[in-house]
Amino acid sequence: NAGVTQTPKFQVLKTGQSMTLQCAQDMNHEYMSWYRQDPGMGLRLIHYSVGAGITDQGEVPNGYNVSRSTTEDFPLRLLSAAPSQTSVYFCASSPGTAQETQYFGPGTRLLVL
Amino acid sequence: GNSVTQMEGPVTLSEEAFLTINCTYTATGYPSLFWYVQYPGEGLQLLLKATKADDKGSNKGFEATYRKETTSFHLEKGSVQVSDSAVYFCALSDNSGAGSYQLTFGKGTKLSVIP
C-alpha cells in the first residue's frame, strides 16, 4: 500500500495563477481532508469529505475548491493564487471520523510570488 | 469554539532526559484527544490518543493521560532519544455533529534531542 500520496512536492506560482494539488489514498477510506500548515499556527482544516460526492468547509476554506468524484482522490484547487496561500498543504484520510487515526500524506510546499 | 494550547518551543534536551510537553484544551462536550508527531520532511503520524476522561494513551515510551478536571493532556517520556527529535502536535476532535469530522491542532512544539 502506498498510503496517502500527494503531488507535486513543491510548486512555485505567480499571483493570480490557478493550480490543483493532487491527493490520493489506496486504503479505501471514506474520510479525507486538507490542512494547511503555517509557522506558529499549527494545522488548520481547509475542506473535508465524508465520502464520494460529499464535501464540506473547514476553518479556512476561502480561495480553495474541492470535489470528490471517487473514494480514492480528493484534489484541492486554488482558483487564483495569492501570497497568503504560501504554505505547506497536507492531505489526510481515515476510515471514519476525525476521532479515528488520520493518515497524512508527505505534504506539498507551495510558494506564491 | 474549540482550541488547543501547547507549550511553546523549541525544547532542547540531552539524550535520556525526561520530557514533558504541556497541552490544555477548550472544547464543548467530551472530546477525543491526540498527540501527532511530525519527523523532519514528513507528514504527521498519530503517536497516541485517548477518547475519555482518565484514559491513558501510550506508544513508543510516550504517555499522556486525559485529565478532564484540568482539561489537560500532557505528553511525557521518561528517557528521550535522538530519534525522538520532531515536532509534536496536540489535537482534539469533539464528538458532536460537524465537530466529529474536524481535528483542532495546537501550534506544535519542536523537540531537539542532543547526544
Side-chain angles (χ1 to χ4, degrees):
Chain A
N1 282 354
V4 179
T5 58
Q6 293 183 237
T7 56
K9 290 187 177 181
F10 179 69
Q11 183 72 45
V12 179
L13 289 180
K14 294 181 179 179
T15 297
Q17 288 185 316
S18 63
M19 79 161 294
T20 299
L21 280 63
Q22 301 292 344
C23 174
Q25 53 92 7
D26 61 359
M27 297 173 282
N28 201 33
H29 287 169
E30 290 296 322
Y31 178 85
M32 296 185 74
S33 56
W34 277 102
Y35 289 88
R36 60 177 289 173
Q37 182 180 29
D38 301 296
M41 297 288 291
L43 278 78
R44 292 180 292 169
L45 182 66
I46 305 171
H47 286 285
Y48 66 95
S49 168
V50 300
I54 306 170
T55 64
D56 206 346
Q57 297 180 353
E59 181 185 355
V60 288
N62 291 342
Y64 307 95
N65 274 1
V66 292
S67 60
R68 183 99 179 268
S69 56
T70 67
T71 299
E72 295 78 20
D73 301 299
F74 190 44
L76 178 72
R77 297 182 185 85
L78 282 69
L79 304 177
S80 177
S84 61
Q85 294 179 303
T86 293
S87 188
V88 181
Y89 292 85
F90 289 100
C91 179
S93 74
S94 77
T97 66
Q99 294 155 35
E100 303 192 44
T101 300
Q102 300 292 305
Y103 295 85
F104 284 82
T108 294
R109 185 175 296 274
L110 177 66
L111 175 63
V112 182
L113 301 175
Chain B
N2 299 334
S3 67
V4 175
T5 303
Q6 60 182 106
M7 62 186 289
E8 298 284 333
V11 174
T12 302
L13 295 174
S14 297
E15 209 165 19
E16 299 184 1
F18 185 85
L19 169 71
T20 299
I21 301 178
N22 290 337
C23 171
T24 57
Y25 67 89
T26 302
T28 54
Y30 302 93
S32 296
L33 301 174
F34 308 84
W35 278 100
Y36 278 84
V37 58
Q38 183 179 29
Y39 297 103
E42 299 183 8
L44 282 72
Q45 54 186 275
L46 180 67
L47 181 59
L48 53 84
K49 70 177 183 181
T51 58
K52 62 182 187 296
D54 299 326
D55 267 3
K56 177 185 284 188
S58 61
N59 186 26
K60 300 181 180 180
F62 291 89
E63 294 183 340
T65 301
Y66 187 165
R67 301 289 189 196
K68 192 172 188 305
E69 63 276 13
T70 55
T71 61
S72 65
F73 193 55
H74 305 322
L75 182 68
E76 297 181 336
K77 187 175 185 182
S79 177
V80 294
Q81 305 300 313
V82 172
S83 57
D84 294 326
S85 298
V87 181
Y88 293 81
F89 291 92
C90 186
L92 71 82
S93 173
D94 76 48
N95 298 326
S96 58
S100 62
Y101 294 104
Q102 302 188 26
L103 278 175
T104 299
F105 284 90
K107 294 182 179 181
T109 302
K110 183 176 182 180
L111 170 67
S112 298
V113 181
I114 55 177

